[in-house]
């Protein structure tokens, strides 16, 4: 959607200041028509009910480039319909503005002044009198007066007093045709292409003053309306313009092409209403495209906050539903399952707790009148938030605005509102009312200029009493002071916007380097837009300061950022988007001034340096006016028309206002308009091609779930069609999100296999999953009838659980078959983990760490996604049709069968990859685990007589040593979340007759997520057998579920690296009777290079993305296994005198030689280095041998390699071992360790990991003191 200063629509729009003048009110012919769509209760008093309003007149009849939407204008001019008053009520005028956003995103602005006019129709007065008689009769028949009073207070408008007693109600809310005068609301409105709010407000107020005045205006009102419609042009960019109201001139200005776009809404008022802290939080929510609901009694406050906050988004633009004033007849749009920014009028006497909203999980609720903001549970903070707030505070304080906002309105002050001074005292709403006549003084009950000065000085704590002003203070000097105050407001506006714009200039100074431009022409790019990546997100994030990442990783996934990048790409084929052009020029200026080097990334806060320059540009335009419009003049009106009657807006002469028949317009004005037309035509010349425009609109709307709601037609068919668009949009969003998650995740896994480059980080993956959680919440909120708590999804799950009276039958699921397959493959006796939606709900309910319904829903989604059961669980949840029909309206997404099936199919595709989004996020919860030890029964005893023990370790911690009950192979235990499991230590104390134990593997299962890890062993535990080890460290592998196998091997997640197989780890090839299968020297060298390369890549990842270092050291393709292959190559005999010989035997012989022999070399330096290396090597080996652990010889070699890697000693140890005399006795001449070139190459490869800080898992080096 267009920004605040965007053009009014496609095509060369003539540069007229205003397009329409509109009059709305009561249609005497139609009489009183109740407004059913407003949802008012007919138990309340007739004066408090709402009745349908009508567009009484609009001039001209139609404008080609901006067709008049009568229903929308009527609805937004009088959002509550007609209001009635009597002479006893307050009848002060109210100003508000509104916005109409077309389906193409272009905007039209409306500015409305609503006032009360005496009802002259006897029929309407009689109808109101009759309604009161009926109402009083109903109340007299037993209706409780207190109930009626409550309803009256709820139905009251924004300007009615608090009615707290029945007597007061009867006195105020009554109408008698004989003694009371009836008044009805009427609105005058200007429709304009640009938001010149202050200028339009002044013009309308002067029109109203002319109506109220006892003296007729200088000219008929038609002259002034004709003038602003046809003779006042838009000021050219960078220029100011003066035109004329009824009593005094009006000045407006327009920013230049290289300045921030036009915004005429007072930002100081937004800060004063919300407070700085709240505003920055709201700003963050808008940037992250959450659902924003503004809440206030005052329409203009809604509009001011909405326009103010979207103005601060520069250079980005809000891309979703934008309805700052939501009419009562459109309340069903709060059901929209899409990001939105809407404003809802509150009613006096109601509070937040009474407001039932369909969606709250991702909602930012802003109670403007009470200065309160309710934030979503999970969202990141804006970068450098404290410094940012400090800089804004300094700007506000310079202009006398307290950063904490205006928090001093009390209930008593609200009750004491006077006729008009309530606005002057609290909101400065009527701050632009002219004070040129005594009649205005009578209307305002005081001088309006003084009132404006009071509002200004109130900010600084100074009170101005009109009675205390000296007589010498003339009206002229007061006006001068008032103009100075307006100038300060303009300066404050632009300086605040500069501070916000500067943040984005600093954060995205190098965004262009990460824009992916692959298409050769616009048409091919638009055709393939949905399939193409347009921004290198992973590289961009890796280039940012760490504190920025939580916010930026979410922000670059938004539609506003995607549109921004799209506009950048399209700028190579068409004229740049105006906002993008300004932003790029600022970045270029930043680089020229060398404020920040393009390659430098720092989180140091950079203050805005353009505040003074921006304020000077505004000041120069306002002090030196560039253009003056034609003065209003007499028109060719018929005799007798244009009559004036005080207090009544005259019936305007239509023929002089429908066309521009002005003979007074000067040639200069005509020439100026011609220039503007040519300029605007050149700005939009690229839009002349219909086909190109179609492509561009499709591209810009890509990813948007819904275009703007139509206000012109509220028939059931249109509402149904709108809801159908919601359903289609949700389905499309689901397809795009799941596709993105799948492609990015599989791309990351391809990198793990050595293909391509990474496109996703853990941070980005978490952002995508959080986005999926938001989507599911919006889907479950669509068409909701009944909800408990803030999360619609969790409410549905709990109600499903409550209705599940019978024990849930086991669901047929591939996951439940997984353990059975494992049993046949490995002899595992793990019982089947039954798939149960109810059980997963209970798991989440038992997590005391999660306190809210929204948090529980997100945890359940993450758990189901990790278990690959999300689609299945949601299908089961929706299968209970009676519950779904009870909870949801007919049009809800969940009741659209075909779309729901497609949605579940898209979610099913996520089963093709492994997510650990539950395990990695909820790190402090207690999780039950089940472990099973599987012996090789053919060669060993099933049960050992000794006392076995086990210790399970993961990325988040370990269990400590746990004794296994005797004669049992299976045990369950509970401990804090271990994360992904990495190692298992298993051992026993060698006691009893049957101490020797041949273990095939250990299987450990997380009983919540169902993840099952297999830890292969294939080795003996016992003295005098194998390598004599009583304990072993096993490396785990995640057993893939059969669900993954069913989806096909091509999309399988690669398994984690595991323990080396027994055939290679055992130095006992004689057991098999042959020596086949040994790798060649080239393969061994390649294995070393791969192992070192994996370690290097590990340390080049962000710390949170690295995973398990133990796997890279001790896993199947790890460094230990690779070095074992080096040491095994050319080993003369693996068996001497029927005794097994291991690498560790060679290590011990080398140590014996180093400790007993003096070595003499050619150089003294070499001798010192050699002796130092030998001494260190001996120290480490002896420390391992004397450690209080019963580790076998292969286990000792593993510890030695790990310690040498950690302490960067391997490149020193390899050469001394290669020159040890024992090598000639134990290795053949062709062995790699006896080849000097190979040894030197090995040393160079190992030196690649010398600079890394390596921290070993505690289970690897426990008890070894070096």
């Amino acid at each position: 959607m267009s920004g605040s200063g965007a053009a009014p629509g496609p095509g060369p729009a003539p540069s007229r200041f205003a397009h329409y003048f509109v009059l709305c009110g009561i249609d005497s012919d139609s009489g009183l028509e109740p407004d059913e769509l407003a949802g008012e209760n007919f138990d309340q008093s007739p004066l408090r009910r709402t009745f349908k309003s009508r567009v009484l007149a609009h001039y001209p009849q139609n404008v080609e480039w901006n067709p008049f939407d009568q229903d929308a204008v009527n609805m937004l001019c009088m959002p509550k319909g007609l209001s009635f008053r009597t002479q006893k009520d307050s009848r002060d005028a109210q100003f508000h503005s509104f916005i109409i956003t077309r389906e193409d995103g272009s905007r039209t602005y409306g500015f409305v002044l609503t006032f009360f006019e005496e009802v002259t129709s006897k029929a309407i007065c009689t109808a109101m009198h009759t309604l009161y008689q009926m109402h009083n009769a109903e109340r007299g028949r037993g209706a409780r007066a207190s109930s009626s009073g409550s309803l009256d207070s709820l139905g009251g408008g924004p300007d009615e007093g608090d009615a707290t007693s029945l007597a007061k109600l009867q006195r105020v809310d009554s109408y008698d045709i004989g003694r009371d005068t009836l008044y009805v609301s009427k609105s005058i409105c200007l429709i304009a292409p640009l938001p010149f709010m202050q200028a339009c407000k002044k013009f309308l107020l002067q029109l109203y003053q002319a109506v109220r005045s006892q003296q007729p205006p200088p000219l008929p009102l038609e002259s002034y309306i004709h003038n602003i419609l046809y003779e006042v042009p838009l000021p050219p960019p960078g220029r100011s313009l003066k035109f004329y109201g009824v009593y005094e001139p009006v000045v407006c200005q327009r920013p230049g092409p290289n300045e921030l776009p036009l915004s005429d809404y007072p930002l100081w008022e937004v800060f004063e209403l919300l407070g700085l802290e709240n505003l920055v939080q709201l700003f963050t929510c808008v940037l992250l495209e959450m659902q924003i609901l503004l809440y206030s009694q005052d329409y203009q406050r809604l509009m001011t906050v909405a326009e103010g906050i979207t103005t601060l988004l520069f250079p980005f633009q809000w891309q979703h539903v934008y309805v700052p004033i939501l009419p009562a007849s459109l309340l069903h749009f709060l059901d929209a399952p899409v990001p939105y920014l809407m404003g809802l009028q509150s009613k006096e006497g109601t509070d937040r707790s009474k407001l039932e909203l369909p969606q709250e999980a991702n909602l930012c609720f802003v109670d403007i009148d009470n200065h309160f903001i309710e934030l979503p549970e999970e969202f990141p903070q804006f970068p450098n938030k404290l410094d940012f707030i400090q800089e804004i505070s300094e700007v506000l304080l310079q202009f006398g605005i307290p950063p904490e906002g205006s928090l001093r309105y009390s209930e008593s002050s609200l009750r004491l509102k006077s006729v008009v001074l309530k606005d002057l005292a609290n909101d400065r709403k009527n701050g632009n009312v002219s004070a040129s006549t005594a009649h205005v003084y009578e209307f305002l009950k005081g001088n309006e200029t003084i009132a404006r000065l009071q509002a200004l000085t109130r900010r600084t704590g100074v009170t101005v009493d009109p009675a205390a002003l000296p007589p010498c203070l003339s009206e002229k000097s007061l006006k001068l002071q008032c103009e100075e105050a307006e100038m300060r407001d303009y300066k404050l506006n632009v300086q605040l916007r500069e501070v916000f714009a500067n943040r984005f200039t600093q954060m995205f100074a190098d965004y262009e380097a990460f824009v992916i431009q692959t298409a050769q022409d616009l048409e091919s790019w638009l055709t393939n837009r949905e399939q193409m990546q347009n921004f290198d997100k992973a590289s961009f994030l890796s280039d940012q300061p760490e504190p920025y990442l939580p916010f930026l990783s979410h922000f670059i996934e938004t539609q506003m950022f995607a549109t921004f990048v799209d506009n950048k790409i399209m700028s190579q084929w068409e004229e740049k988007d105006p906002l993008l052009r300004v932003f790029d020029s600022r970045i270029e200026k930043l680089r020229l001034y060398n404020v920040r080097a393009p390659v430098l990334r720092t989180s140091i806060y950079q203050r805005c340096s353009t505040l003074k320059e921006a304020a000077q540009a505004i000041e120069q335009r306002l002090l030196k006016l560039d253009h003056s419009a034609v003065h209003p003049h007499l028109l060719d009106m018929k005799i007798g028309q244009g009559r004036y009657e005080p207090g009544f807006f005259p019936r305007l002469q239509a023929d002089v206002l429908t066309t521009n028949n002005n003979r007074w317009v000067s040639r200069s004005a005509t020439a100026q308009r011609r220039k503007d037309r040519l300029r605007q035509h050149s700005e939009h010349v690229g839009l002349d091609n219909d086909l190109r425009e179609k492509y561009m609109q499709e591209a810009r709307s890509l990813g948007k779930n819904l275009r703007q709601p139509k206000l012109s037609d509220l028939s059931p068919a249109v509402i149904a069609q709108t809801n159908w668009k919601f359903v289609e949009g949700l389905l499309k969003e689901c397809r795009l999100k799941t596709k993105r998650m799948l492609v990015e995740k599989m791309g990351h896994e391809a990198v793990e296999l050595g293909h391509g480059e990474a496109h996703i980080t853990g941070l980005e993956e978490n952002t995508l999953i959080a986005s999926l959680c938001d989507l599911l919440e919006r889907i479950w909120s669509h068409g909701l009838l009944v909800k408990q708590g803030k999360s619609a999804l969790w409410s549905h799950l709990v109600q499903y659980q409550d209705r599940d009276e019978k024990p849930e039958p086991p669901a047929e699921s591939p996951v439940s078959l997984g353990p059975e397959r494992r049993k046949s493959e490995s002899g595992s006796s793990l019982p089947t983990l039954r798939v149960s939606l109810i059980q997963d709900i209970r798991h989440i309910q038992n997590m005391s760490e999660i306190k809210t319904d929204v948090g529980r829903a997100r945890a359940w989604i993450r758990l189901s996604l990790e278990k690959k059961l999300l689609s299945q669980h949601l299908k089961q949840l929706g299968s209970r049709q009676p519950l779904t029909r009870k909870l949801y309206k007919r049009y809800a997404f969940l009741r659209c069968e075909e779309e729901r099936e497609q949605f579940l199919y898209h979610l099913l595709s996520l089963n093709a990859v492994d997510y650990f989004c539950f395990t990695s996020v909820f790190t402090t919860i207690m999780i039950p685990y089940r472990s099973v030890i599987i012996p090789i029964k053919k060669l060993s005893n099933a049960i050992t007589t000794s006392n076995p023990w086990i210790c399970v370790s993961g990325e988040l911690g370990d269990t400590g040593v746990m004794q296994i009950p005797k004669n049992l192979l299976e045990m369950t235990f509970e401990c804090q979340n271990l994360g992904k499991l990495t190692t298992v230590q298993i051992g026993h104390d060698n006691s009893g007759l049957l101490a020797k134990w041949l273990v095939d593997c250990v299987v450990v299962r997380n009983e919540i997520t169902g993840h099952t890890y297999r830890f292969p062993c294939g080795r003996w535990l016992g003295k005098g057998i194998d390598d004599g080890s009583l304990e072993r460290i096993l490396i785990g592998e995640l057993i893939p579920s059969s669900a993954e196998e069913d989806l096909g091997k091509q999309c399988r997640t690669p398994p984690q690296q595991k323990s080396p197989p027994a055939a290679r780890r055992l130095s006992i090839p004689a057991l098999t009777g042959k020596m086949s299968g040994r790798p060649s020297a080239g393969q061994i060298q390649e294995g070393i290079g791969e192992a070192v390369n994996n370690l290097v890549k590990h340390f080049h990842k962000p710390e949170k993305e690295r995973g398990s270092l133990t796997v890279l050291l001790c896993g199947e393709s790890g460094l230990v296994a690779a070095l074992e292959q080096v040491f095994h190559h050319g080993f003369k005999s693996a068996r001497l005198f029927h005794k097994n010989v291991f690498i560790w035997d060679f290590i011990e012989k080398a140590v014996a030689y180093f400790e007993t022999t003096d070595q003499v070399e050619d150089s003294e330096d070499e001798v010192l280095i050699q002796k130092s290396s030998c001494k260190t090597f001996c120290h480490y080996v002896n420390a391992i041998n004397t450690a209080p652990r019963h580790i076998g010889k292969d286990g000792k070699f593993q510890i030695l390699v790990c310690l040498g890697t950690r302490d960067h000693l391997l490149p020193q140890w390899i050469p001394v071992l290669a020159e040890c005399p024992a090598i000639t006795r134990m290795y053949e001449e062709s062995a790699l360790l006896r080849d000097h070139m190979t040894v030197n190459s090995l040393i160079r490869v190992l030196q690649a990991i010398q600079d890394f800080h390596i921290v070993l898992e505690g289970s690897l080096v426990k008890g070894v003191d070096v």
Side-chain angles (χ1 to χ4, degrees), residues 51-98:
F51 299 89
K52 287 184 180 178
S53 60
R54 292 280 187 271
V55 174
L56 304 179
H58 67 277
Y59 310 101
Q61 286 303 306
N62 198 48
V63 176
E64 181 183 352
W65 56 86
N66 184 10
F68 187 74
D69 189 338
Q70 181 162 304
D71 291 329
V73 171
N74 178 48
M75 197 179 294
L76 291 168
C77 279
M78 302 186 118
K80 277 189 61 189
L82 295 171
S83 296
F84 285 89
R85 300 285 185 274
T86 67
Q87 77 282 357
K88 295 172 287 190
D89 297 314
S90 161
R91 303 187 305 279
D92 43 318
Q94 296 285 334
F95 173 84
H96 79 270
S97 52
F98 63 81

Side-chain angles (χ1 to χ4, degrees), residues 90 157-163 168 273 296-298 301 346 348-350 367-371 406-419 421-423 425-427 429:
S90 161
D159 52 343
E160 288 142 16
D162 292 285
K168 188 173 182 180
L273 287 170
S296 174
Q297 291 187 34
D298 191 297
R301 283 185 176 183
S346 61
E348 258 185 297
T350 60
D367 188 341
I368 298 173
D369 299 336
N370 294 313
H371 322 285
S406 179
L407 306 179
R408 56 190 173 279
Y409 304 125
S410 64
E411 289 187 20
S412 57
S413 67
L414 290 172
R415 286 199 185 101
L416 294 173
K417 295 176 183 176
S418 62
V419 177
L421 290 181
K422 66 171 186 181
D423 293 335
N426 294 333
D427 306 321
K429 281 185 188 171

Side-chain angles (χ1 to χ4, degrees), residues 510-730:
D510 300 322
Y511 83 95
E512 194 172 352
F514 303 97
V515 174
I516 302 171
Q517 299 183 347
T518 54
Q520 299 299 316
D521 57 82
L522 179 60
E523 187 172 347
S524 64
W525 181 80
L526 291 171
T527 304
N528 301 299
R529 169 67 190 90
E530 194 169 329
Q531 287 76 38
M532 297 171 65
Q533 288 289 333
N534 63 358
F535 194 74
D536 187 354
K537 296 176 182 177
S539 299
F540 174 77
L541 291 175
S542 68
D543 208 25
Q544 302 307 310
E546 183 76 21
Y548 289 14
L549 294 180
F551 170 80
L552 287 176
S553 62
H554 283 76
F555 179 67
I556 62 175
E557 297 294 334
T558 60
Q559 185 61 41
M560 71 173 72
F561 185 77
T563 303
F564 172 78
V565 175
D566 284 351
N567 288 338
K568 180 64 179 177
I569 294 173
M570 286 194 288
S571 68
Q572 60 186 318
W573 300 296
E574 62 173 23
E575 189 174 353
K576 261 189 185 180
D577 174 78
L579 297 184
L580 181 65
R581 184 183 66 247
V582 176
F583 187 65
D584 282 351
S585 68
R586 285 167 173 254
I587 290 176
E588 190 61 35
K589 186 176 180 182
L590 192 68
R591 289 174 180 162
L592 288 175
Y593 284 114
N594 293 321
V595 174
R596 176 176 135 196
V599 294
L600 181 62
R601 281 289 177 271
T602 174
S603 58
I604 298 174
Y605 189 79
Q606 304 280 345
R607 284 177 168 265
C608 181
S609 59
T610 58
L611 297 182
K612 189 175 180 182
E613 178 186 333
Q616 285 175 347
I618 292 271
E619 188 174 21
Q620 289 172 3
R621 274 199 296 275
L622 290 175
L623 291 179
K624 183 183 178 183
L625 297 176
D626 299 301
H627 301 283
S628 289
V630 175
H631 282 261
H633 49 81
L634 282 171
L635 303 172
D636 296 330
M637 297 176 64
K638 297 176 183 177
I639 296 175
Q641 293 199 343
R643 286 181 178 177
Y644 174 76
E645 186 177 354
F648 293 90
F649 199 87
R651 184 184 295 273
L652 300 173
Q653 185 173 333
D655 54 350
V656 297
L657 293 177
T658 51
T659 56
N660 180 15
N661 54 0
N662 175 31
R663 52 189 169 83
W664 297 69
V665 179
S666 66
R667 292 182 181 178
S668 61
T670 305
Q672 179 61 48
R673 285 200 296 274
R674 188 180 299 113
K675 288 179 184 178
D676 287 342
R677 285 196 189 96
L678 289 171
R679 177 190 54 74
Q680 292 200 6
H681 178 74
S682 65
E683 288 178 359
H684 299 277
V685 70
L687 303 175
D688 291 339
N689 187 315
D690 292 341
L691 180 64
R692 186 175 179 184
E693 174 62 17
K694 177 187 172 187
Y695 276 129
M696 286 173 58
Q697 291 300 335
E698 287 177 355
R700 289 185 177 124
S701 65
L702 184 68
K704 298 179 190 176
N705 304 330
L706 174 75
R707 295 178 176 182
Q708 281 301 114
K710 282 189 176 181
L711 307 184
S712 55
D713 187 354
L714 293 175
S715 64
V718 170
I719 293 175
Q721 184 183 8
T722 302
N723 279 300
W724 184 248
K725 285 184 179 179
F726 283 143
V727 171
E728 288 182 325
L730 287 169

Side-chain angles (χ1 to χ4, degrees), residues 8 312 381 397 573 664 666 681 709 814 888 917 1125 1142 1170 1177 1199 1223:
L312 297 174
Q381 296 297 318
L397 289 170
W573 300 296
W664 297 69
S666 66
H681 178 74
Y888 290 92
C917 49
Q1125 294 287 5
F1142 297 87
Q1170 194 91 351
F1177 181 74
I1199 293 174
I1223 201 168

Side-chain angles (χ1 to χ4, degrees), residues 106-135:
S106 58
R107 294 179 176 182
T108 298
Y109 293 83
F111 306 95
V112 186
L113 189 70
T114 302
F115 55 93
F116 285 88
E117 200 173 73
E118 185 179 339
V119 177
T120 56
S121 169
K122 293 292 184 186
I124 291 174
C125 291
T126 303
M128 181 61 71
H129 182 72
T130 304
L131 285 174
Y132 255 100
Q133 288 179 327
M134 295 168 61
H135 177 68

